[in-house]
Amino acid sequence: MQISKDIKTPFGIISPEVSLFPIYYLLFIYGFVYILPYGKSLIGVSWFDWLRSEDGPLEWLQFLEYVLSGLLASFIYLRQKKKKEINSFIWLLIALLSFVIAGEEISWGERITGIGITTISNLNVQGETNFHNLPFFHNYLLDPVFEISCIFLGWFGWRKFKNVYAFPSKKLSLYFLFVALFYFYFDISWASTTEQIRNDQEIFEFLLSTGIFFHCVDNCGKKFSSLKNKFSNFLN
């Protein structure tokens, strides 16, 4: 998947080594959707608030992307010849985590069926059946986990482990680094003397799920190409 292209400017051609979709996406959200009128008269809230709301369209898109990522990563793992090597282990981990995160996004089906586990929802910050919003994890671990994992996926992984292709490549860096930057600034504003910034987490978390999804699509495409070549060689 070719996602970074040359940019022609009056000053010359810029050849980015990373996908610029996260920048275009954020410009679209904050430069267009943010000021788009008539949201309150049509759906009761602004289009911007609708997009970033809990159980809103961006959260459901994240759920879909994580489910698809889990399926694609599972396929890649099954196609691995050496199941005990590090790349195979990471693909298996990506598949399992993608399915778990997808389940957490919809509170393990409670948002669809209305059926949950009362003992968990009574302790949950949002009153739902999921684990990432339990008080200790939600209040102390959730944001650091986002920050550390996104820095790893967006920079440390591809830079320090060049032979581990199961980590996202450099071209997908911005999908993860913008998320880490948002959560870092969100936490700093909470600890500072100024008012905490608005919680736009769903807007930025969509970048994380999309980065994982594109990473799986890229590598799954390579596996399909390999299968196609083997089939062609067999026929010949």
Side-chain angles (χ1 to χ4, degrees):
M1 182 185 300
Q2 185 67 31
I3 53 179
S4 58
K5 300 180 180 179
D6 290 346
I7 303 172
K8 295 181 180 180
T9 74
F11 308 101
I13 296 176
I14 300 174
S15 299
E17 295 183 6
V18 298
S19 169
L20 299 181
F21 172 81
I23 295 177
Y24 300 143
Y25 162 76
L26 292 175
L27 287 174
F28 174 75
I29 294 292
Y30 288 101
F32 178 72
V33 177
Y34 189 80
I35 60 174
L36 195 63
Y38 307 118
K40 288 187 177 181
S41 60
L42 292 174
I43 58 174
V45 295
S46 69
W47 299 108
F48 177 79
D49 286 333
W50 176 63
L51 272 180
R52 71 189 186 98
S53 63
E54 283 289 333
D55 209 23
L58 284 181
E59 190 163 29
W60 279 98
L61 282 174
Q62 292 173 55
F63 165 73
L64 178 62
E65 287 183 328
Y66 280 122
V67 170
L68 293 175
S69 296
L71 293 172
L72 294 174
S74 298
F75 170 79
I76 295 170
Y77 171 75
L78 293 174
R79 289 294 304 163
Q80 295 289 105
K81 294 181 178 179
K82 298 179 180 179
K83 293 293 190 294
K84 294 184 179 180
E85 70 170 6
I86 184 64
N87 280 303
S88 298
F89 172 76
I90 293 173
W91 280 118
L92 179 60
L93 186 62
I94 290 174
L96 293 175
L97 287 176
S98 293
F99 286 130
V100 169
I101 296 173
E104 286 284 296
E105 286 288 345
I106 59 170
S107 296
W108 299 100
E110 184 179 3
R111 293 186 178 182
I112 300 174
T113 64
I115 301 173
I117 303 174
T118 305
T119 53
I120 296 177
S121 60
N122 286 342
L123 298 173
N124 191 279
V125 172
Q126 292 183 339
E128 297 179 339
T129 304
N130 60 53
F131 298 97
H132 70 280
N133 282 322
L134 290 175
F136 180 77
F137 193 86
H138 180 272
N139 295 332
Y140 300 104
L141 295 180
L142 189 60
D143 288 7
V145 166
F146 270 114
E147 291 160 10
I148 294 170
S149 60
C150 285
I151 290 173
F152 185 91
L153 293 172
W155 177 72
F156 195 82
W158 61 262
R159 186 175 179 85
K160 298 297 182 181
F161 302 99
K162 298 183 183 299
N163 295 325
V164 183
Y165 69 87
F167 291 142
S169 63
K170 181 180 180 180
K171 70 179 180 179
L172 297 174
S173 298
L174 296 183
Y175 288 86
F176 308 106
L177 294 180
F178 274 129
V179 182
L181 180 62
F182 165 75
Y183 272 99
F184 174 76
Y185 192 64
F186 182 77
D187 291 338
I188 287 296
S189 70
W190 176 81
S192 70
T193 56
T194 61
E195 184 178 353
Q196 187 177 27
I197 65 171
R198 185 181 55 225
N199 189 355
D200 291 349
Q201 66 181 49
E202 297 301 339
I203 290 174
F204 286 87
E205 287 179 16
F206 175 71
L207 285 176
L208 172 58
S209 63
T210 304
I212 295 293
F213 175 65
F214 281 165
H215 173 53
C216 293
V217 169
D218 278 348
N219 285 273
C220 198
K222 294 174 184 177
K223 291 295 181 182
F224 274 117
S225 296
S226 176
L227 279 174
K228 182 179 178 181
N229 292 334
K230 289 181 179 179
F231 185 68
S232 298
N233 291 334
F234 174 77
L235 293 178
N236 295 330

